[in-house]
Amino acid sequence: LLKNKKRTKSPFVFAKDYTKDYINSLPFEMTDAQKRVIGDCVKDMSSGRVMNRLVQGDVGCGKTAVAAALMYHTARCGAQSAIMAPTEILAEQHFKNLCESLKNTNIKCVLITGSLKKSEKQAAKEMLANGKAQIAVGTHALISEDVAFKNLALVITDEQHRFGVLQRAQLADKGIKPHTLVMSATPIPRTLGLIIYGDLDISI
């Protein structure tokens, strides 16, 4: 089934791998599994085809560190990323961690949630639309009609089981055939995963 999947051609072919720079900047050593999954994704993103990949792993195994490395990679390649979380608390946590890990770079992150002040939300949306911000972190507020990106190349949904396929598609529609990564801590037998996520390759 995996071999027979048809893949759409991608407008974003990232030939150079910048994830190693991010990994080397971390104050800890990534696990072999994290590095392997990052490698899977980088291979997808340089293949000329759109990445559609599910990353499944237990809570605390470091899926968000994998996502951060890929968003850094995308930014260094000159494009934008968005990560959508199911709750404001989780979105704020991702935003804080990303800002901390990218503090010594010129990569800008913005947060978009429903409870943001109108002025803060407007400023964040303007930075995404004009390309001054390379990474957007938020809740389903990211799929609001008035949120636009200049060059969205990677969309990530965290805790995918708490979103619908339609919401994932709405975020992807903010760009032109962006690469897609979905993350889940819910253990799914591989055979069942192929049924539920038949459009996705799976990394554990």
Side-chain angles (χ1 to χ4, degrees), residues 64 131 146 192:
T64 52
D146 59 350
L192 185 58

Side-chain angles (χ1 to χ4, degrees), residues 34-159:
Q34 286 174 311
K35 292 176 182 177
R36 172 175 47 77
V37 173
I38 289 172
D40 289 344
C41 295
V42 169
K43 184 177 179 181
D44 287 347
M45 296 168 78
S46 65
S47 69
R49 301 286 178 179
V50 173
M51 175 177 72
N52 285 296
R53 187 168 290 276
L54 165 70
V55 175
Q56 192 275 315
D58 294 338
V59 172
C61 73
K63 296 186 297 297
T64 52
V66 169
L70 296 171
M71 289 186 283
Y72 171 88
H73 172 61
T74 300
R76 289 289 304 275
C77 289
Q80 293 172 304
S81 305
I83 179 168
M84 183 167 62
T87 67
E88 292 200 4
I89 291 175
L90 190 54
E92 289 167 1
Q93 180 181 327
H94 287 338
F95 178 69
K96 181 180 178 181
N97 291 340
L98 276 168
C99 288
E100 176 63 24
S101 68
L102 298 173
K103 64 183 179 182
N104 295 321
T105 73
N106 60 1
I107 297 172
K108 301 294 183 186
C109 301
V110 295
L111 177 68
I112 295 183
T113 64
S115 66
L116 276 185
K117 293 180 181 178
K118 188 175 180 180
S119 59
E120 293 174 330
K121 195 180 294 184
Q122 185 59 36
K125 288 189 288 189
E126 287 176 3
M127 290 182 70
L128 289 175
N130 62 27
K132 289 183 179 179
Q134 294 86 16
I135 296 174
V137 184
T139 58
H140 59 276
L142 283 173
I143 61 179
S144 300
E145 287 186 14
D146 59 350
V147 176
F149 293 81
K150 184 177 181 180
N151 192 23
L152 182 62
L154 172 65
V155 297
I156 301 171
T157 51
D158 191 16
E159 298 298 336

Side-chain angles (χ1 to χ4, degrees), residues 6-13 41 43-53 153-155 172 176-181 199-201:
K6 292 183 179 179
R7 285 285 181 253
T8 305
K9 286 186 178 180
S10 173
F12 303 104
V13 183
C41 295
K43 184 177 179 181
D44 287 347
M45 296 168 78
S46 65
S47 69
R49 301 286 178 179
V50 173
M51 175 177 72
N52 285 296
R53 187 168 290 276
L154 172 65
V155 297
I176 300 173
K177 300 178 183 177
H179 297 292
T180 298
L181 183 71
D199 59 329
L200 302 174
D201 294 315

